[in-house]
Amino acid sequence: MAEPYNCTKCQESLFGLKYILKEEKPYCIKCYEELFSSTCEVCQELIGCTSKDLSYKDRHWHSECFLCTKCSRSLVEKPFSTKDKLLICTDCYSNEYSAKCHDCLKTIMPGSKKMEHKGNSWHENCFSCNRCQQPIGTRSFVQKDTHNYCLPCYEKQFAMQCVHCKKPITTGGVNYRDQPWHKECFVCIGCKQQLAGQRFTSRDDFAYCLVCFCNLFAKKCAYCTTPISGLGGSKYISFEQRQWHNDCFNCKKCSVSLVGRGFLTCKEDILCPDCGQDV
């Protein structure tokens, strides 16, 4: 005949009483609840053996205490969220905390995919091109006047076309004579160097960098033979179809500057009056 069980803690006989085995050790109901039962988060009372223990992240509730903090509806076997450790049904959470779609103004339910840009949120299907109505997803897009456009639609509807290559300008360009250019298309007609950000000039509607313009069109200094650009306010001397840089307009013999002074000519040379008397 088997020996009667005694409660492991209080040693009271369990004969004819309900008891619970834990790790093969018997406990009376009272001792088991004192030792092992959890405390309910809401009512702070023990969750007895005869009650259903609902747990979430090491926290416990009676089933009758497992309620939405906002509307008090039961959350047993229903989806829920938490805010500051408080239980909230998905409806209340959505109404109070979930983002609203910038397009349809409806709540973006927790767990559903949403798109975000500059502080605004959209349902995935609402985040679409304002022109073709196709979802943008993760493709590149442009925002204009609070509307979103995929790049092909934006280029067709808004982007200016480069005068040179006839393709849309989407990332900034150059305006020259009231016409738009890609900066990589706006180049010197001579050396093909980009002109954006540097000084240039034009002739016959063609743009030239200063070096090419001077080499092609500027008059040559009669002394040093390099071009006289005349650009940017630089001064030069002109006499009988010949030109000199100011710094080059000197007496051939004594090298004194003749700018603003009288001078004489001897064949191809220019001389100061003093040196000219010796000729």
Side-chain angles (χ1 to χ4, degrees):
M1 182 176 178
E3 294 183 1
Y5 277 133
N6 291 331
C7 174
T8 303
K9 181 185 179 187
C10 68
Q11 301 300 315
E12 292 291 330
S13 173
L14 298 176
F15 182 75
L17 300 177
K18 289 183 179 180
Y19 63 90
I20 298 175
L21 284 175
K22 184 173 180 64
E23 298 177 355
E24 300 183 357
K25 295 178 181 180
Y27 294 87
C28 67
I29 300 300
K30 181 181 178 181
C31 289
Y32 180 87
E33 290 180 348
E34 290 177 353
L35 290 172
F36 306 112
S37 291
S38 301
T39 300
C40 176
E41 288 282 327
V42 175
C43 68
Q44 299 301 311
E45 294 184 4
L46 290 176
I47 302 174
C49 299
T50 57
S51 299
K52 191 172 183 179
D53 185 342
L54 300 179
S55 63
Y56 175 71
K57 291 187 176 180
D58 296 326
R59 300 162 66 203
H60 299 263
W61 293 262
H62 292 104
S63 59
E64 60 270 21
C65 294
F66 198 61
L67 307 174
C68 171
T69 304
K70 298 292 183 180
C71 66
S72 299
R73 286 185 296 179
S74 175
L75 299 176
V76 177
E77 297 183 355
K78 292 181 180 179
F80 64 92
S81 299
T82 59
K83 181 72 173 178
D84 299 328
K85 293 187 176 183
L86 298 177
L87 301 176
I88 305 176
C89 67
T90 53
D91 290 340
C92 290
Y93 187 91
S94 297
N95 291 334
E96 189 152 348
Y97 302 111
S98 291
K100 302 294 189 295
C101 177
H102 191 66
D103 181 59
C104 70
L105 303 181
K106 294 181 179 179
T107 299
I108 302 175
M109 298 299 290
S112 60
K113 190 171 183 179
K114 69 177 179 179
M115 312 301 291
E116 295 180 312
H117 179 66
K118 291 185 177 180
N120 293 320
S121 302
W122 291 262
H123 292 105
E124 185 178 15
N125 289 333
C126 292
F127 190 61
S128 59
C129 172
N130 190 64
R131 187 172 188 269
C132 68
Q133 305 303 316
Q134 295 299 310
I136 294 174
T138 57
R139 293 182 295 158
S140 297
F141 69 97
V142 177
Q143 192 172 64
K144 181 176 175 64
D145 299 331
T146 72
H147 296 302
N148 300 317
Y149 298 86
C150 63
L151 284 185
C153 286
Y154 179 83
E155 292 175 355
K156 291 176 182 178
Q157 187 159 341
F158 300 108
M160 293 183 293
Q161 287 190 337
C162 175
V163 172
H164 177 72
C165 69
K166 309 303 180 185
K167 294 181 179 179
I169 301 173
T170 58
T171 57
V174 176
N175 186 50
Y176 176 63
R177 291 188 174 180
D178 294 326
Q179 292 181 317
W181 301 67
H182 290 112
K183 65 178 182 179
E184 58 269 22
C185 293
F186 188 59
V187 298
C188 172
I189 195 68
C191 66
K192 308 303 180 184
Q193 180 182 4
Q194 289 188 22
L195 297 177
Q198 66 169 300
R199 295 177 62 195
F200 64 91
T201 188
S202 63
R203 184 183 178 97
D204 300 328
D205 293 329
F206 295 111
Y208 296 85
C209 69
L210 296 188
V211 174
C212 286
F213 182 84
C214 289
N215 289 336
L216 291 170
F217 304 112
K219 297 181 182 299
K220 304 296 189 295
C221 176
Y223 176 75
C224 69
T225 70
T226 59
I228 301 174
S229 69
L231 301 172
S234 61
K235 296 180 180 180
Y236 62 96
I237 307 298
S238 180
F239 177 73
E240 292 184 352
Q241 306 302 313
R242 291 189 295 167
Q243 289 78 30
W244 292 262
H245 294 105
N246 267 20
D247 293 340
C248 294
F249 194 60
N250 303 319
C251 175
K252 178 68 174 179
K253 286 189 174 182
C254 68
S255 299
V256 67
S257 174
L258 299 177
V259 177
R261 299 179 57 183
F263 62 91
L264 302 173
T265 60
C266 181
K267 297 182 180 179
E268 298 298 320
D269 299 330
I270 55 172
L271 303 170
C272 67
D274 292 340
C275 293
Q277 293 178 2
D278 299 332
V279 176

